[in-house]
Amino acid sequence: MAKVHVQDLTKEYGSLVATDNVSLDIGDGELVVLVGPSGCGKTTTLRSIAGLETPTSGSITFDDVDITDKSPQDRDISMVFQDLALYPHMTAKENIAFPLRAEDGHSESEIDSAVNDIAEVADCDEFLDKKITSLSGGQQQRVALARALVRRPEVFLMDEPFSDLDELLKRQLRAEVVRLQHEFGVTMVHVTHDQEEAMTMGDKLVVMNDGNVAQFGDPDEVFSEPQSLFVAMFIGSPQINRFDCHLSWDGDTAVLDDGEVTFEVDGPLVDALQMARGDEITACVRPQLLNWSDDGSGGDFAVPVTVDVVEKIGTEDVVRCQTPNGHEVTAEVATGVLDEGMEGYLTFTAESLHLFDGHDDDAERLN
Amino acid sequence: MSSDTSGFQWFGRGFVALYALFVAFPLYWTLNTALKPLNYIGTFPPTLYPRGFTLDSIVWVLTNSRAVNAITNSLIIASGTTILSVILGALAGYAFSRFASRIDPGGHVSFWLLSTRMFPPIAVVLPIFFIYGQLGLQDTLLGLILLYLTFNLPLTTWLMRDFFDKIPVSFEEAAYVDGYSRFETFRKVVFPLVRPGLVATMMLAWVFAWNEFLFAWIITGNNTSTITTIIPTLIESNQIQWNRIMAMAVVVAIPPTLILIAFRDNIIEGMTLGMTDI
């Protein structure tokens, strides 16, 4: 097991910058998830850790040993690829044994028992003798996991292998991976574009955008205190509500006006707003923290809306509403309370407000 | 619905049977003629069976020194050019498949390679004849091996590139991560997966060299006649030795047929690029 440290990693393909000075500190035995939209540099970062890409500049260390220029063979890592990379000309068993056969000095019986042990742990012992092509998607995933873990690597890497699976199987395997990771205590880096997967699996999240680390922190922190507007918009489902406001001052009261709704802010948030560099402020609030109110009371702020669509998701409803001017606001409320066409207010408290300095993705958090 | 399907199937089978007959009849007629004595070949009406059955012409092919030499030469030339073109083509194909962005940005090199197959070969017969005269390669086995190599190499390179393209790069990367060197990875992962394609490519290269007539006719002389250049010499000024021509055809058709039978699964898989396993 190893600590992984990435320092100022930059990878350029010609004029295209895939990662731009990415730095990460991954603790021993941690499960870190790199998450972000396509092309954000998460896979490049992972492949650099694996040694499959040579960084343009920057360094990578495992346990303070610089491995930047080492080939993948010499890194003691294992990786599950997006397409799994299981070999069709071998059985499941041969695939799992494959990493062990790369090392000298294992007897056949050692390999055999190691394969059987890991197959039992990864729950794929029932189809060890089958060809890869005759296995289902979920079974293949389990074989790929077993192959990656059989050698007890220092660092375990996964490049969104679950993206092709159906939802239920995906959830099962996520839980399985987390269980295995805890059981082996292995340091793990997982890449996904699915923010929900990232939230449920990671000890730490690395939210990436445009080759940069937008935020590095534990899932709760990333969710409740997004450091930039991009993170706020990317993490969380349903997506955070956003009001692009203009800031003006009325004495000590800050007035945020998005052209339709105004929020008069006083109290502790005023200090934050005074730090703003300009008068463009984005105010965001999570759908989970909105409450329905018929008359606009019961919160610090209220937005008048009409219920547009009600999506049932079980114990709660996702309610898509519109302000009179057509700005969409989404709320998550107890099920059965609201019906399409109802008019009223969505209210929220000052504490649930996220303020960002500008309207761009990289606008920084103010409060 | 089911009657439609079976009707279509019957039609399909009938068509295939008809086509098989169409293809097989000339082959049968070759054999039929090879087994007749010369004086029965031109009789009218012709007989569907070898009238006056004799193995004389087959025996001639297998014992006449010119014929035997030609077969030996063809075997050497075809095998030599196949080995070279498959080894070089596989290496080049691998490079074009894996390092295209570095060695062939825009695909111009590989297209140029293919374009050498686009003009009629007869256009270069004369220049090649003179160049070979200068280099002393006329009427040598090596000359023909090299010549066929130049024709086969674009084909083998392109085919092998396609076969390598079918193997995801991640297959190799996974092996690197697991600790295998590039060479070991090629041996344990890439080669087993590309083998059907390799066999199909070998066969195509071999058959091309085995069957080639035009250049062999121009380049070779008495020392290195090939099977294809022996056959026209059996057309003599006063008679055409149909039985020997056909016997020669029968004998030289045997090696490709055996190859086809031995590797038919690989060849079908390779020809259709149908590496469905992956």
Side-chain angles (χ1 to χ4, degrees), chain A residues 108-167:
Chain A
E108 253 343 272
S109 61
E110 272 172 20
I111 290 180
D112 226 39
S113 73
V115 169
N116 285 328
D117 287 352
I118 196 74
E120 210 167 300
V121 178
D123 207 11
C124 56
D125 43 343
E126 280 159 35
F127 37 86
L128 274 184
D129 293 321
K130 287 196 179 170
K131 279 268 183 192
I132 290 302
T133 39
S134 62
L135 300 180
S136 72
Q139 289 172 328
Q140 291 187 3
Q141 301 271 351
R142 289 175 190 280
V143 174
L145 281 175
R147 181 175 75 176
L149 290 170
V150 70
R151 216 162 38 97
R152 314 273 163 133
E154 293 273 349
V155 180
F156 176 30
L157 309 171
M158 286 215 309
D159 185 7
E160 38 191 331
F162 304 149
S163 46
D164 293 341
L165 295 178
D166 63 69
E167 200 53 40

Side-chain angles (χ1 to χ4, degrees), chain A residues 170-334:
Chain A
K170 214 188 268 190
R171 278 168 211 263
Q172 278 177 2
L173 280 159
R174 274 179 209 157
E176 193 89 337
V177 168
V178 173
R179 179 177 69 80
L180 290 172
Q181 190 265 341
H182 284 308
E183 198 169 317
F184 288 103
V186 61
T187 309
M188 177 172 163
V189 184
H190 177 58
V191 159
T192 180
H193 63 269
D194 180 344
Q195 57 87 25
E196 189 191 329
E197 182 170 309
M199 295 288 284
T200 51
M201 287 179 72
D203 294 329
K204 290 268 179 66
L205 296 194
V206 182
V207 186
M208 295 189 69
N209 187 34
D210 269 349
N212 294 298
V213 175
Q215 189 165 359
F216 181 28
D218 62 53
D220 289 339
E221 190 185 318
V222 172
F223 183 77
S224 57
E225 278 181 43
Q227 290 305 309
S228 71
L229 184 54
F230 169 78
V231 178
M233 298 298 292
F234 188 75
I235 297 288
S237 170
Q239 204 177 27
I240 203 166
N241 293 300
R242 152 178 192 168
F243 301 91
D244 290 2
C245 299
H246 184 85
L247 172 66
S248 57
W249 293 93
D250 179 10
D252 278 345
T253 306
V255 181
L256 294 171
D257 182 3
D258 87 330
E260 179 181 17
V261 189
T262 40
F263 306 114
E264 289 180 9
V265 181
D266 44 24
L269 287 178
V270 167
D271 294 341
L273 282 169
Q274 272 164 349
M275 315 258 288
R277 285 171 305 176
D279 53 10
E280 286 189 336
I281 301 290
T282 307
C284 294
V285 59
R286 294 269 174 216
Q288 294 84 352
L289 298 176
L290 289 172
N291 293 306
W292 182 259
S293 159
D294 290 328
D295 55 5
S297 64
D300 298 329
F301 308 108
V303 181
V305 291
T306 309
V307 178
D308 205 11
V309 180
V310 178
E311 295 169 13
K312 305 267 180 207
I313 55 166
T315 55
E316 277 165 334
D317 290 347
V318 173
V319 187
R320 309 219 180 257
C321 308
Q322 284 200 349
T323 62
N325 280 5
H327 184 71
E328 194 175 285
V329 184
T330 308
E332 203 172 307
V333 298

